[in-house]
Amino acid sequence: MAALDNLVVTTALPAIREDLGGKLEDLEWTVNAYTLTFAVLLLFGSALGDRFGRRRLFIAGLAVFTGASAAAALSPGINELIVARAVQGVGAAVMMPLSLTLLTAAVPAARRGMALGIYGAVGGLAVAIGPLVGGSLTEHVSWQWIFWLNVPIGLALLPLARLRLAESTASGSRLDIPGTLLISGGLFGIVYALVNANAHGWTSASVLTGLIAGSVLVGAFIHHGFNGANPMLPMRLFRDRGFFGINMASLLMYVGMFGSIFLLSQFFQGVSGYSPTEAGLRMLPWTGMPMLVAPIAGILSDRIGSRPVVAAGLTLQAVGLGWFAVILGTDVSYAAQLPALILSGIGMALYFAPASNALMSTVAPADQGKASGTNSALREVGGALGVAVLASVFSAQGGYESGQAFTDGTVPALWIGAGAVALAAALALLLPRKAKQPAEGTAVASAASASSVTPATTGAAPEQAPEHVPAAS
């Protein structure tokens, strides 16, 4: 559910706009309200579970997510929908990292690899079919059902989780409340300014305040990460050039990918004239390609190392977005777009699994949990920034007035997305040529990270074996 809700709303955006009204910045917030709260609270949600009980907090997060899904479906206006999406993100931020920890505790070690593989595959499938599910429900039922879909599943899972999952905690875990407040306020300020820049003007008081205050708070968060007693994100990890390179590459990859999908899913409907279902189907060569190519990418990275595979994948993704920017027009055919979709899909697939392995190779075993959680959070932050930045470029150069206006705004935005991913490819070259061999006993954390093959499929991997766990029945 949490992975599906990252992209399920993209193909429903035209219907939401028609039903509830709202401007471009309102549509941005229907996506960003979820990804932003998810990103900034993900590490905090994991720490809450470690401190107060993983099963207890997982159930709480699931209840919040389910209730917020119902609220989103019942929203009478665009502002209420945005608030409900933000609350959904809070629930997902608690639920997702704890789901991985609880799964690790529930499955015997001999079957853990298979279980984590299934976990990753389900999350990957959810993201791949997100635009298709959103489009089909919007066209054949109503856009509200992209949220109603979560409610019966959540209600069924609540008693099941209470009866079948074992409680566990981690001794000595601490909450980094100052760090959470700093990064939450900082990212909100920056994204708010980017989203509202064209409507209010770059020199308006609200936009300048958001940019300046947000930047100051993010700077304070970085300082806290270097000097705090128990920071949620230890900045010392970024002293390793490989860790810095793969995380910055991940952030920029999601800037280009999320922002482009946000615009292209609307282009397919508003300009090309496809129905929501048809638009979702036509996105599959891009979003669904990782399900086919990711296993091959994993084998390649084992043989020749992660660096060339990750860099090649990001390069192909950048070329795919650039191809879109070159050919896009009001009368462009789907056949002309298909190579760009396939290139982007192959590039995304070559990036995912090797990137996770590369990430784990840059940190000590004791830091693998925080490394995995950091990377997942940065990906979500990249997604929120991507929608904000590319939509800002779109609104400055075009708009919804006509198909030509939409195309005029989309083309320069796609070039920005392609440039961000190309920079990510360059940063991937900071990775070491050969991955460090992980110490014995780190397979769980590595496998957990490797399962994060798509946006929001995982949160933080478990940093240590759960304590106080009754024997699994």
Side-chain angles (χ1 to χ4, degrees):
M1 291 191 297
L4 189 75
D5 273 53
N6 254 297
L7 293 178
V8 73
V9 74
T10 54
T11 42
L13 288 173
I16 292 172
R17 180 169 173 262
E18 183 178 349
D19 191 15
L20 300 182
K23 295 172 286 187
L24 174 64
E25 51 264 36
D26 298 318
L27 296 183
E28 291 177 64
W29 279 115
T30 63
V31 177
N32 282 345
Y34 182 81
T35 56
L36 199 57
T37 53
F38 194 141
V40 299
L41 295 177
L42 192 148
L43 288 168
F44 188 69
S46 180
L48 280 174
D50 290 343
R51 179 77 176 271
F52 299 109
R54 295 175 178 124
R55 181 184 67 181
R56 182 180 295 113
L57 266 294
F58 173 80
I59 292 172
L62 179 60
V64 169
F65 184 90
T66 303
S69 297
L74 293 168
S75 297
I78 193 71
N79 291 328
E80 291 83 357
L81 176 60
I82 291 169
V83 171
R85 286 284 285 168
V87 178
Q88 261 194 319
V90 174
V94 175
M95 180 173 66
M96 281 302 294
L98 297 178
S99 69
L100 189 58
T101 313
L102 289 164
L103 176 64
T104 303
V107 179
R111 291 191 291 165
R112 199 167 283 154
M114 179 182 69
L116 292 171
I118 294 171
Y119 179 93
V122 170
L125 179 64
V127 172
I129 66 173
L132 177 58
V133 169
S136 298
L137 289 173
T138 299
E139 181 179 353
H140 299 296
V141 191
S142 70
W143 66 262
Q144 285 88 347
W145 275 92
I146 66 176
F147 302 115
W148 280 128
L149 182 67
N150 295 325
V151 176
I153 299 173
L155 292 176
L157 286 175
L158 285 168
L160 190 63
R162 178 66 181 84
L163 294 172
R164 299 298 298 170
L165 294 176
E167 184 59 280
S168 63
T169 58
S171 61
S173 60
R174 297 179 182 178
L175 301 177
D176 183 12
I177 294 176
T180 301
L181 294 175
L182 287 171
I183 194 61
S184 299
L187 288 175
F188 175 80
I190 291 171
V191 172
Y192 174 85
L194 290 171
V195 167
N196 290 282
N198 283 289
H200 299 161
W202 285 97
T203 57
S204 66
S206 60
V207 171
L208 286 176
T209 299
L211 287 173
I212 295 170
S215 299
V216 169
L217 289 173
V218 170
F221 173 76
I222 294 172
H223 181 268
H224 174 73
F226 277 116
N227 300 287
N230 186 47
M232 62 189 295
L233 177 54
M235 288 297 161
R236 59 179 172 77
L237 297 176
F238 287 93
R239 290 171 178 157
D240 183 290
R241 74 171 197 171
F243 184 85
F244 173 83
I246 193 60
N247 277 290
M248 293 303 100
S250 295
L251 185 145
L252 289 168
M253 158 71 175
Y254 277 71
V255 167
M257 183 190 71
F258 257 60
S260 299
I261 289 176
F262 174 80
L263 292 173
L264 287 172
S265 61
Q266 296 180 75
F267 177 88
F268 279 140
Q269 297 177 66
V271 180
S272 298
Y274 296 121
S275 69
T277 304
E278 290 170 338
L281 280 171
R282 281 161 175 77
M283 295 291 287
L284 277 178
W286 186 357
T287 60
M289 191 64 70
M291 298 297 293
L292 302 176
V293 181
I296 301 171
I299 295 170
L300 276 176
S301 67
D302 287 341
R303 291 187 177 179
I304 65 174
S306 297
R307 185 172 76 167
V309 181
V310 171
L314 292 170
T315 301
L316 286 176
Q317 174 77 84
V319 170
L321 293 178
W323 190 315
F324 263 121
V326 168
I327 65 167
L328 216 60
T330 55
D331 57 349
V332 65
S333 67
Y334 182 68
Q337 298 174 67
L338 190 57
L341 287 164
I342 293 173
L343 274 178
S344 297
I346 293 174
M348 191 162 61
L350 289 176
Y351 156 81
F352 279 132
S356 297
N357 289 332
L359 174 74
M360 290 298 102
S361 74
T362 64
V363 295
D367 289 323
Q368 286 187 338
K370 285 186 177 179
S372 178
T374 297
N375 190 255
S376 295
L378 284 173
R379 291 179 182 187
E380 295 294 327
V381 169
L385 290 174
V387 171
V389 170
L390 269 64
S392 178
V393 174
F394 166 85
S395 61
Q397 301 295 322
Y400 288 100
E401 296 81 14
S402 65
Q404 187 60 55
F406 196 96
T407 303
D408 290 343
T410 302
V411 169
L414 289 175
W415 280 120
I416 297 295
V421 181
L423 181 56
L427 286 168
L429 298 177
L430 293 175
L431 286 166
R433 291 181 181 274
K434 289 291 185 181
K436 305 169 190 174
Q437 293 300 316
E440 186 177 354
T442 64
V444 171
S446 297
S449 176
S451 70
S452 180
V453 295
T454 42
T457 55
T458 71
E463 292 189 58
Q464 59 190 49
E467 300 178 9
H468 315 305
V469 183
S473 59

